[in-house]
Amino acid sequence: MTEHFQVHGGARLAGAVDVVGAKNSVLKLMAAALLAEGTTTLTNCPEILDVPLMGEVLRSLGCEVTIEADTVTITTPADLNHHADSASMGKLRASVCVLGPLVGRCRRAVVALPGGDAIGSRPLDMHQNGLRQLGAHSEIEHGCVVAEAEGLHGAQIWLDFPSVGATENILMAAVLADGTTVIDNAAREPEIVDLCTMLLQMGGKIEGAGTSTLTVHGVDALQPTEHRVIGDRIVGATWAFAAAMTRGDVTVRGVDPHHLDLVLEKLRTAGADVTILEGNAFRVVQRDRPTAVDFVTLPYPGFATDLQPFAIALTSIADGTSMITENLFEARFRFIEEMIRIGADARTDGHHAVVRGVARLSSAPVWASDIRAGVGLVLAGLCADGVTEVWDVFHIDRGYPGLVENLVNLGADVRRVAAAPERS
Ligand code: UD1
């Protein structure tokens, strides 16, 4: 038996919550430390399981890694091991972002295919094509991505789709290539900007961070640096949805509200009062039942696919009928099966889900299938009659440090129930 959360429905969340550093940034910044010999320090790191798991990946490549509270220190040797095996790689998706730095530093990489959330097919063709255009040979062999280059040279690269991971890997190889690389149709996520900021501090030469065209002038070597991870916009948005769903009043601190412009506008459409506050904070107040609103997931600055479960959870209790369109990861709609279990009126057809809002959900045991789906179920449980049990909460722990404590501080009745001891 694993641990589960007991979520008592009915509370209106009220108070303030601090958001930690971004999971989808810190793991890439840890990989970027491979690019420079010496000691790199990252602060404002979230205390989530993926950080020590990424630490294991870096240790297997020859780095020394220490993690103390929100600070991660990585000492990278002159000679890196270029083989990241499945023992360390299999546990998290972001481990694939060691590929670009290894090709940049060592000119070769053998990287076991990564693990991660079950949210749908996640091919690496754009990562490999980008590296090929920089001069590397790349194949999948025996469950590993193998990439080798005699030399890396700048190139003009057009991505078929603004993939976050492919942009990061190509960028981190190109910073140490000869000549200039232009990545067109690059991803524009704030986490990409954070990576560019750190690479610039390390001596990289990059123009266009935050736009669809990244121009990278290769340099011979980079220096280690100290860098503060940006606040987690996905966690920040989670609290915004939680406030709107529970007709609460929540101030969210530690995340740039401009990273959430579209999200906050959607919540205003659903009836929330949203105020942008000084110093990376905002407040969401919802007085009445949310009204129906449509969502379409797209690369940034579109509505993030990671927030799609919260859109479903919100619209399931909204007044009216909403349409949710998922354009990135088809399997994220599996979440709807669990929502139906607790009384949502929803059905899917391909990329679309139609959700007819109900006045109240009805508690039931439900299972988290990934990080965001798990938290979506917790938010839904807050709006259900009775006590909802959310199982497989190890998914949630990968992305939301102290979720239960934060919810309790905001007035919710949520408990973590320890695993039953094994019978001998
Ligand atoms: C990252 C985030 C994830 C987020 C996603 C989209 C991390 C650790 N994860 O994932 O939380 O949901 O961005 O914002 O940062 N694709 C291909 N070929 C490729 C690469 C991607 O077809 O070579 C497709 C994917 O299947 C998907 C789309 O492109 O449909 C976007 O994927 P991508 O942006 O690469 O997501 P990740 O970097 O894996």
Side-chain angles (χ1 to χ4, degrees):
M1 275 287 190
T2 60
E3 291 179 320
H4 71 279
F5 291 168
Q6 281 184 353
V7 183
H8 296 246
R12 292 184 163 188
L13 299 189
V17 62
D18 291 304
V19 172
V20 293
K23 165 175 126 25
N24 285 352
S25 213
V26 67
L27 305 172
K28 324 305 173 60
L29 303 178
M30 289 175 75
L34 292 169
L35 288 164
E37 182 186 343
T39 301
T40 293
T41 305
L42 299 172
T43 57
N44 197 36
C45 301
E47 294 178 45
I48 53 172
L49 184 60
D50 280 11
V51 169
L53 288 177
M54 190 65 183
E56 266 181 51
V57 173
L58 298 186
R59 279 192 199 104
S60 77
L61 297 170
C63 299
E64 282 172 33
V65 182
T66 56
I67 302 169
E68 278 171 25
D70 76 343
T71 302
V72 175
T73 310
I74 300 156
T75 302
T76 301
D79 290 319
L80 280 170
N81 172 10
H82 66 275
H83 189 159
D85 64 23
S86 58
S88 52
M89 292 287 291
K91 296 174 190 152
L92 76 163
R93 167 77 192 177
S95 56
V96 77
C97 64
V98 300
L99 180 64
L102 286 179
V103 173
R105 265 302 289 289
C106 311
R107 300 297 194 242
R108 55 196 177 142
V110 180
V111 171
L113 288 166
D117 287 332
I119 54 174
S121 142
R122 298 178 92 172
L124 295 175
D125 53 311
M126 284 189 255
H127 302 237
Q128 289 184 284
N129 283 340
L131 295 178
R132 285 185 192 120
Q133 280 165 279
L134 294 175
H137 297 280
S138 181
E139 302 296 335
I140 306 278
E141 286 175 18
H142 310 296
C144 296
V145 188
V146 179
E148 272 184 296
E150 299 221 338
L152 286 183
H153 51 75
Q156 167 73 54
I157 298 170
W158 284 276
L159 295 180
D160 289 343
F161 186 90
S163 153
V164 172
T167 302
E168 289 163 343
N169 263 328
I170 297 166
L171 176 63
M172 287 195 275
V175 278
L176 290 179
D178 291 331
T180 298
T181 299
V182 178
I183 311 173
D184 246 316
N185 200 21
R188 292 187 277 165
E189 270 69 1
E191 293 77 22
I192 302 269
V193 178
D194 201 23
L195 175 61
C196 289
T197 305
M198 177 162 149
L199 293 173
L200 286 167
Q201 285 164 204
M202 294 170 80
K205 292 196 165 43
I206 302 162
E207 292 150 22
T211 75
S212 318
T213 307
L214 283 172
T215 304
V216 187
H217 305 286
V219 296
D220 291 337
L222 295 172
Q223 295 80 47
T225 189
E226 186 171 330
H227 179 80
R228 184 180 165 83
V229 181
I230 56 164
D232 197 316
R233 67 192 164 100
I234 305 297
V235 174
T238 307
W239 292 116
F241 273 94
M245 287 179 65
T246 62
R247 300 185 212 180
D249 177 353
V250 176
T251 296
V252 183
R253 301 183 295 222
V255 62
D256 184 344
H258 296 302
H259 294 167
L260 294 172
D261 280 338
L262 177 57
V263 175
L264 298 177
E265 196 47 38
K266 284 282 172 189
L267 293 180
R268 284 191 186 102
T269 308
D273 281 340
V274 180
T275 318
I276 306 301
L277 305 171
E278 289 286 303
N280 275 356
F282 60 91
R283 181 177 174 193
V284 177
V285 182
Q286 179 91 30
R287 291 186 179 82
D288 303 313
R289 182 178 174 192
T291 47
V293 52
D294 294 341
F295 292 89
V296 178
T297 69
L298 280 172
Y300 189 84
F303 186 81
T305 173
D306 300 64
L307 299 177
Q308 187 244 89
F310 311 131
I312 304 259
L314 174 92
T315 52
S316 74
I317 49 123
D319 188 5
T321 299
S322 311
M323 165 106 75
I324 320 291
T325 304
E326 172 57 56
N327 287 314
L328 280 88
F329 295 113
E330 68 279 9
R332 276 203 200 269
F333 274 154
R334 276 190 213 147
F335 169 71
I336 289 179
E337 288 162 29
E338 295 304 302
M339 286 296 297
I340 289 171
R341 217 188 275 275
I342 57 171
D345 181 355
R347 66 192 176 89
T348 56
D349 186 359
H351 287 277
H352 304 289
V354 174
V355 184
R356 293 185 183 85
V358 297
R360 197 101 190 118
L361 296 168
S362 168
S363 61
V366 285
W367 279 262
S369 54
D370 68 73
I371 305 177
R372 313 300 170 189
V375 179
L377 293 170
V378 172
L379 300 195
L382 292 172
C383 302
D385 286 332
V387 183
T388 296
E389 289 179 0
V390 180
W391 290 88
D392 288 351
V393 296
F394 60 88
H395 287 295
I396 296 175
D397 292 336
R398 283 190 41 222
Y400 288 81
L403 179 74
V404 170
E405 293 75 9
N406 282 320
L407 283 167
V408 169
N409 286 342
L410 294 173
D413 186 351
V414 179
R415 294 165 211 179
R416 178 188 287 268
V417 179
E422 294 282 325
R423 286 191 185 174
S424 54

